[in-house]
Amino acid sequence: EETIGALHTLVQQGKARYVGISSYTAEQTAVAAAVARSLGTPLVIHQPSYSILDRWVEDGLTGVLREEGIGAIAFVPLAQGLLTNKYLGDGTAERAQNRSSVREKLTDKALTTLRGLDVIARERGQSLAQMALQWVLRDGVVASALIGASRPEQLDENLAALNGPDFDAEELEQIDALAGGLNGFADIWAESATS
């Protein structure tokens, strides 16, 4: 109530037209939406972490967003670079050494999963990053995905995800089978979403 009240004040002062929240659980989001509605404040977006490897939003949050007419803007949809080809080739260990948050996650099981996802992506005519972005955007409640690009080529590659073929049921099942065992292993924001 305090947070939504502060956002309401910004709208009332003309400093914002619409407001959003980030990393709220499904229950917190429902309460926030009710408070915003009672104040007449347009709560229009929720920014959760969401990727093939981090699906906590599917445990009720996407349903609440849909019911409330709130869109999602997924952040870290490429799981801090894990859902790119960056760590799949030679030199993986050396690149991972430079990022402790990645080094801890690159277990043999994780690499096997990422390589399997890469095979599905290539069969679709996409890079792993393109498939991962398209997967996040497949649900209409996800209005956008925040990407980080350090080079123009990365931006071009990521934008090409919008031109990929629709997923068929078999592909989605394969992705779920591969990534299901790692769900949440890339969720660096889990604690903030539950506190």
Side-chain angles (χ1 to χ4, degrees):
E1 289 177 358
E2 184 176 323
T3 299
I4 300 303
L7 294 172
H8 172 70
T9 299
L10 293 174
V11 172
Q12 293 300 301
Q13 293 175 347
K15 295 178 180 176
R17 297 179 99 185
Y18 310 98
V19 299
I21 54 177
S22 181
S23 301
Y24 279 35
T25 65
E27 295 78 19
Q28 292 168 331
T29 299
V31 171
V35 171
R37 191 171 35 259
S38 73
L39 296 171
T41 298
L43 176 59
V44 299
I45 203 73
H46 184 293
Q47 182 180 292
S49 62
Y50 185 41
S51 74
I52 288 175
L53 303 175
D54 178 12
R55 301 181 181 195
W56 71 274
V57 303
E58 295 173 1
D59 291 334
L61 180 60
T62 53
V64 170
L65 296 176
R66 205 170 276 105
E67 290 169 17
E68 296 291 345
I70 300 172
I73 298 177
F75 73 94
V76 291
L78 298 178
Q80 297 182 305
L82 292 172
L83 291 169
T84 69
N85 295 33
K86 183 176 187 175
Y87 299 105
L88 296 182
D90 291 338
T92 295
E94 292 78 17
R95 281 189 293 278
Q97 286 297 330
N98 295 329
R99 294 191 57 202
S100 62
S101 62
V102 172
R103 182 177 58 243
E104 296 168 4
K105 295 176 182 352
L106 281 177
T107 62
D108 289 341
K109 180 179 180 179
L111 284 169
T112 298
T113 295
L114 295 173
R115 288 183 180 120
L117 291 170
D118 187 51
V119 168
I120 296 169
R122 283 187 278 125
E123 289 172 353
R124 292 173 47 78
Q126 294 180 300
S127 69
L128 178 55
Q130 289 168 341
M131 182 182 79
L133 290 170
Q134 188 174 359
W135 183 90
V136 164
L137 294 168
R138 80 197 187 292
D139 185 333
V141 78
V142 179
S144 185
L146 296 176
I147 56 173
S150 57
R151 298 185 318 274
E153 302 83 43
Q154 290 174 327
L155 183 59
D156 291 339
E157 178 187 349
N158 289 340
L159 290 172
L162 299 173
N163 301 322
D166 289 341
F167 288 99
D168 63 35
E170 183 179 344
E171 290 170 328
L172 291 173
E173 287 174 13
Q174 291 173 336
I175 290 168
D176 287 347
L178 280 168
L182 293 180
N183 184 27
F185 103 113
D187 183 5
I188 61 171
W189 305 98
E191 191 173 313
S192 68
T194 58
S195 56

